[in-house]
Amino acid sequence: MTRKNDDGLAVPFKEPLPELSELHVRHPGLTIHICRAYAEAAGVCLARHHTSPVEMSLTGPFSPCRRQVSWPDPTRRAIRAWGNRDDATRDGAYSLSLAAVEAEYGLTAIARADTRTGADFYVAPHGEHEDLENAYRLEVSGLDRTGESRLQSRLRRKITQVAEGDGSGPSLVVVVGFSAGRIAMAEVEDEK
Amino acid sequence: MINPEHEQAQKLSSRAALLKGSNEEEARRLFARAARMELQALGKIPTDKARTRGILSVSFAALLIKAEDYRAARKELPRLLEDASLSPSSRRQIEDLLEEARQRDHGPSRIDKTADLQPSMHVARKPKS
């Protein structure tokens, strides 16, 4: 089954993204509370622009595809609780990014490690969960309202930032565009 | 899972993060507990797992800052920096956090439970030249 993208090209329509509120079942680096909070944030952000379900367009080092994502209608309380748009966009992007790397790469979050401003997630294939030596750091960026040009610009900037890092290891960069229904991904090898 | 201590640290930190903005005192207390668990997790990581040790070291340092326990951070972070296997990225982040602790440490610790931080420190010392 295929759909046409914005350029008129046919792209395959794949299985839906994993249920956002149940990621913790397969992602040991997520607690149930954090998983549900991120999923709620994703629902609030998606509901600003779309009605559930929506087909999101995924691109990266794999064949472009579309995957459906669904979410419950956010309650008024949830919308108020996620009134800080920056926090909601960041945490909602975490939820969709973790679902996307599971769907496209078979990677799941094995650790959440704190940083000064938040936390980094580390993802690895099932069975490689004993340490972080070969895990990918998940570098996530969310955009509430964006077009393709700004989304690609943000992706390039994040790739450059990660590539110019100083030995933090291999990373997956994911940019989520909520209004555009887009998830753009890239792999960055840190060779330092 | 890396080890049960890291898993517990994650859970405590996650709970603390969700309390930020509504119950700051409890959030700080949970971040402090998470820091203690992360230090125990770090103590169990073999010295040849440099990347894992670096990531957990930064996490421990960040949790102390989030707990606003700047006194403990000033005491503990220099010890982390003695780990010769730290990557430049981890070292830079810990140095930044130590500098922040130094700038903010103008009074008694807001968390009074740091006495048990020390025993499980196992860092690889820099080789003497």
Side-chain angles (χ1 to χ4, degrees), chain A residues 92-163:
Chain A
Y94 270 135
S95 184
L96 285 164
S97 297
L98 288 165
V101 298
E102 180 185 346
E104 291 301 327
Y105 292 92
L107 302 175
T108 51
I110 59 170
R112 176 181 181 273
D114 279 70
T115 63
R116 174 65 191 91
T117 54
D120 278 337
F121 279 101
Y122 292 85
V123 295
H126 187 69
E128 295 183 23
H129 285 188
E130 299 205 341
D131 58 48
L132 303 175
E133 297 305 296
N134 299 309
Y136 284 88
R137 185 164 70 95
L138 192 63
E139 180 76 29
V140 175
S141 185
L143 293 166
D144 178 49
R145 186 177 292 277
T146 183
E148 186 65 19
S149 171
R150 183 163 167 242
L151 184 129
Q152 291 297 335
S153 172
R154 174 69 65 90
L155 182 66
R156 284 193 298 273
R157 198 170 80 207
K158 298 297 283 186
I159 290 170
T160 301
Q161 282 176 1
V162 172

Side-chain angles (χ1 to χ4, degrees), chain A residues 112 114 116 118 133 135, chain B residues 10 13 51-52 66 92 100:
Chain A
R112 176 181 181 273
D114 279 70
R116 174 65 191 91
E133 297 305 296
Chain B
Q10 284 184 169
S13 170
R51 186 166 185 245
T52 307
K66 289 177 179 177
R92 176 180 50 76
E100 181 172 343

Side-chain angles (χ1 to χ4, degrees), chain B residues 4 7 19 25 36-37 47 56 58 61 68 78 82 96 119:
Chain B
E7 184 175 4
L19 285 173
E25 187 175 343
R36 289 196 292 277
M37 293 309 299
T47 52
L56 295 198
V58 171
E68 299 182 19
E82 292 176 5
D96 288 347

Side-chain angles (χ1 to χ4, degrees), chain B residues 63-83:
Chain B
L63 286 166
L64 283 181
I65 298 296
K66 289 177 179 177
E68 299 182 19
D69 196 349
Y70 306 120
R71 187 142 301 176
R74 292 185 65 174
K75 179 179 169 188
E76 299 295 334
L77 302 199
R79 294 179 186 171
L80 293 181
L81 292 169
E82 292 176 5
D83 187 341

Side-chain angles (χ1 to χ4, degrees), chain A residues 45-116:
Chain A
C45 294
L46 286 163
R48 289 187 189 128
H49 310 286
H50 310 282
T51 301
S52 178
V54 70
E55 289 176 16
M56 298 201 74
S57 172
L58 282 72
T59 56
F62 47 83
S63 300
C65 62
R66 298 182 80 86
R67 291 182 182 271
Q68 189 180 80
V69 61
S70 54
W71 64 93
D73 282 340
T75 62
R76 288 187 180 189
R77 186 169 180 168
I79 291 169
R80 278 199 302 273
W82 290 102
N84 183 318
R85 193 168 285 249
D86 290 344
D87 287 354
T89 303
R90 178 198 64 207
D91 290 352
Y94 270 135
S95 184
L96 285 164
S97 297
L98 288 165
V101 298
E102 180 185 346
E104 291 301 327
Y105 292 92
L107 302 175
T108 51
I110 59 170
R112 176 181 181 273
D114 279 70
T115 63
R116 174 65 191 91

